[in-house]
Amino acid sequence: MSRNPQEQPLLSDSFQEEEERQETAYESSEKIVVVGIDESDSEENWGRVPPFSWKKLWLFTGPGFLMSIAFLDPGNLEGDLQAGAIAGYSLLWLLMWATAMGLLIQLLSARLGVATGKHLAELCREEYPAWARIVLWVMAELALIGSDIQEVIGSAIAIRILSRGVVPLWAGVVITALDCFIFLFLENYGVRALEAFFAVLIGLMAISFAWMFGEAKPSGKELLLGILIPKLSSRTIQQAVGVVGCLIMPHNVFLHSALVQSRQVDRSKKGRVHEAINYYSIESTLALVVSFIINIFVTTVFAKGFYGSELANSIGLANAGQYLEETYGGGLFPILYIWGIGLLAAGQSSTITGTYAGQFIMGGFLNLRLKKWTRALITRSCAIIPTMIVALLFDSTEESLDVLNGWLNVLQSVQIPFALIPLLYLVSKEQIMGTFKIGSVLKIASWLVAALVIVINGYLLTEFFSSEVNGLLFGAVVSVITAAYVAFVLYLIWRAITILPWQSITRVKTVVHSES
């Protein structure tokens, strides 16, 4: 027997009533209206998914490529070059599977945003008690600031490379800070203009690093074997952990659930929601395939030039350009400048998306009804001020920048559970997702991926603190903070695994009682 769509709403009435009163990712006038070959809205077609349309895929394309920039930021590029220099081609398989795990997490984030019409930060504000959502908000902001420092410093290094050292690091930070005005300018021309700008930056990265790949001429056979045959040794375990850890960015999980709301989707019709999820899945997959190829370019160039050499353990973002020039020479267009252009595109694109993510995180957790330019300036200030301080303190040596990057990687790692666990909890909850909650198989796979990522980052933290923590007082402080951290993570897990089963049982009892 067919079911009327009104009998099974995708969202609870309370969500629908509050939707108009709360801060939203995009105003109705900003959203892109998707049209295609089948726009029949008759009641009998409410659950049917319209046939595939290339025109619709094009209109849905955009959010996934903005999301993919987090897989190409300066922190990832540094992880790529160090993995290639120290481990050669042997970790390419791990890069591929880490990208696949990241894709799974991002698809769940997109699913949450499409099915609910709200992004992760908004739903966390509604689902968790006040004290817990404040902690989640603080952690999300810290993760964003940490990633933004890496991205801004990466851009500043690129500017210093392209200026042959004339522009110091602190001045490059100031120049990079101005990207906020580019962002605000492009927002005035709509979502598609912003997406086109990022497409240009991704294309610039692809061309630059592909050019480097062509100049270096890495071994195609070694590349293929590195992707297909898993290899891992005690000597490369740290680089392996870094490859996985730097691909899963906490702020990116929040960002993607908001970006997908830039398209107008009629969530009262099940078929339209399914359609949107399908198109977003396709374009997100294509975007991460592109990012994977770019990451391969970087890893293999440094594997060809530096694997097994004395320089392998000393390469970082700050000196990579110099070493590339010494190894591969000048050529028609010096490889130093090619690297600088690609790094600048990566840094600028990731800092702008960081500003974008900061808007959604702040607005969602605090329900701020501020103008977007106001929130952008606040978010930019929160990142630029500490970055300026860092640039002044760490501009002295390349070694100090490497130390800074290590601490920032730790900051990113500790924040990952505070994005992944709420995401998996919410996307499994029927009261929020309706018929679009994830099934048992996908739920088990997602929790296994989350557990693996958390364990890997836990290993990174343990290794880092065992080498960096010295002194009784410092050790005691770290122990207290660690205990509080673990307690909160366990609370999030406990809430996810205990509330969901009871909600399902309550729903079954309600249905049985109503039928009797």
Side-chain angles (χ1 to χ4, degrees):
M1 182 175 65
S2 63
R3 183 184 295 272
N4 189 292
Q6 301 303 320
E7 295 178 6
Q8 193 175 15
L10 299 179
L11 291 175
S12 65
D13 292 338
S14 61
F15 280 170
Q16 292 173 346
E17 291 170 1
E18 291 180 5
E19 196 171 52
E20 297 298 323
R21 297 188 284 107
Q22 295 182 343
E23 186 273 341
T24 56
Y26 296 90
E27 301 294 336
S28 298
S29 59
E30 297 176 309
K31 294 185 177 183
I32 297 172
V33 178
V34 178
V35 295
I37 60 175
D38 182 4
E39 299 305 317
S40 174
D41 287 330
S42 59
E43 186 174 295
E44 61 270 17
N45 291 329
W46 79 278
R48 186 172 64 85
V49 179
F52 178 81
S53 165
W54 288 104
K55 179 181 179 180
K56 280 192 176 182
L57 178 60
W58 169 249
L59 291 173
F60 274 106
T61 297
F65 282 88
L66 266 69
M67 169 273 296
S68 72
I69 287 170
F71 289 70
L72 298 167
D73 69 0
N76 278 292
L77 297 183
E78 183 160 31
D80 291 338
L81 66 89
Q82 290 175 344
I86 296 173
Y89 301 89
S90 65
L91 295 180
L92 292 179
W93 67 274
L94 188 60
L95 176 63
M96 179 181 70
W97 285 107
T99 303
M101 289 191 294
L103 175 61
L104 173 61
I105 292 168
Q106 295 303 145
L107 291 181
L108 294 180
S109 177
R111 187 185 190 94
L112 181 72
V114 173
T116 65
K118 297 185 179 184
H119 56 80
L120 180 56
E122 292 176 299
L123 292 169
C124 285
R125 185 189 73 237
E126 295 172 352
E127 286 297 311
Y128 288 95
W131 70 270
R133 66 172 176 260
I134 290 174
V135 175
L136 288 172
W137 171 59
V138 171
M139 292 302 178
E141 291 290 353
L142 287 175
L144 181 61
I145 291 172
S147 67
D148 217 355
I149 290 175
Q150 284 183 309
E151 293 154 0
V152 172
I153 293 291
S155 289
I157 290 173
I159 293 172
R160 188 169 65 180
I161 290 172
L162 295 174
S163 68
R164 279 291 186 177
V166 174
V167 180
L169 196 67
W170 67 266
V173 170
V174 173
I175 294 171
T176 305
L178 299 177
D179 64 21
C180 182
F181 296 100
I182 299 175
F183 167 74
L184 295 174
F185 174 76
L186 288 172
E187 268 207 320
N188 292 328
Y189 290 90
V191 173
R192 293 301 264 179
L194 192 65
E195 292 171 349
F197 175 73
F198 284 112
V200 170
L201 291 178
I202 293 174
L204 193 59
M205 278 186 274
I207 292 172
S208 298
F209 297 134
W211 192 326
M212 284 175 48
F213 183 85
E215 291 282 331
K217 297 180 176 61
S219 168
K221 178 182 177 181
E222 293 291 333
L223 190 159
L224 188 61
L225 291 175
I227 293 176
L228 297 178
I229 301 176
K231 291 181 181 179
L232 192 61
S233 67
S234 58
R235 188 173 58 86
T236 61
I237 187 67
Q238 187 173 356
Q239 283 66 45
V241 170
V243 167
V244 177
C246 65
L247 284 177
I248 312 297
M249 305 291 284
H251 74 274
N252 208 38
V253 180
F254 287 95
L255 176 64
H256 201 194
S257 63
L259 291 175
V260 295
Q261 295 174 45
S262 60
R263 271 61 175 173
Q264 190 74 50
V265 176
D266 187 351
R267 290 183 298 107
S268 67
K269 297 178 174 58
K270 183 178 178 181
R272 298 296 178 185
V273 179
H274 264 305
E275 177 188 44
I277 292 174
N278 292 342
Y279 283 121
Y280 282 133
S281 298
I282 295 172
E283 68 109 16
S284 296
T285 301
L286 291 175
L288 289 195
V289 167
V290 172
S291 74
F292 172 63
I293 293 172
I294 293 174
N295 283 319
I296 281 183
F297 287 156
V298 176
T299 303
T300 53
V301 165
F302 283 87
K304 171 67 184 301
F306 305 101
Y307 177 57
S309 70
E310 296 179 356
L311 301 174
N313 290 303
S314 60
I315 296 179
L317 280 183
N319 57 22
Q322 173 191 342
Y323 288 153
L324 283 170
E325 187 175 42
E326 293 173 356
T327 302
Y328 294 110
L332 178 63
F333 191 66
I335 197 169
L336 171 69
Y337 294 120
I338 300 172
W339 166 252
I341 291 170
L343 180 59
L344 182 62
Q348 286 294 324
S349 58
S350 55
T351 52
I352 297 176
T353 54
T355 302
Y356 218 24
Q359 285 193 24
F360 297 132
I361 289 172
M362 181 178 292
F365 275 108
L366 303 183
N367 195 23
L368 295 178
R369 298 191 64 83
L370 298 176
K371 292 183 181 297
K372 287 192 173 182
W373 68 267
T374 306
R375 277 185 293 168
L377 289 177
I378 293 173
T379 304
R380 197 89 293 250
S381 299
C382 289
I384 289 300
I385 292 174
T387 304
M388 283 293 297
I389 296 172
V390 164
L392 292 173
L393 292 176
F394 290 87
D395 194 20
S396 55
T397 64
E398 295 169 356
E399 290 77 13
S400 61
L401 284 175
D402 290 337
V403 171
L404 169 66
N405 190 62
W407 279 98
L408 292 176
N409 284 337
V410 168
L411 181 62
Q412 290 294 306
S413 298
V414 300
Q415 311 302 331
I416 286 177
F418 306 130
L420 290 190
I421 297 174
L423 172 66
L424 297 184
Y425 161 57
L426 293 169
V427 84
S428 304
K429 188 175 180 181
E430 188 172 0
Q431 284 81 353
I432 290 176
M433 297 293 293
T435 58
F436 295 98
K437 69 172 185 176
I438 59 176
S440 299
V441 174
L442 185 55
K443 188 185 302 182
I444 292 172
S446 302
W447 276 103
L448 287 175
V449 167
L452 179 61
V453 171
I454 292 172
V455 168
I456 287 174
N457 282 277
Y459 173 85
L460 174 64
L461 295 177
T462 303
E463 288 289 306
F464 182 82
F465 283 118
S466 63
S467 61
E468 295 291 333
V469 175
N470 297 306
L472 183 61
L473 179 61
F474 190 30
V477 172
V478 170
S479 298
V480 171
I481 294 175
T482 301
Y485 171 85
V486 172
F488 188 59
V489 171
L490 291 176
Y491 163 77
L492 294 176
I493 295 173
W494 170 82
R495 185 180 178 91
I497 64 178
T498 58
I499 291 181
L500 288 175
W502 281 110
Q503 288 170 338
S504 300
I505 293 172
T506 303
R507 180 176 176 83
V508 170
K509 288 182 177 179
T510 302
V511 172
V512 171
H513 178 73
S514 62
E515 289 180 352
S516 61

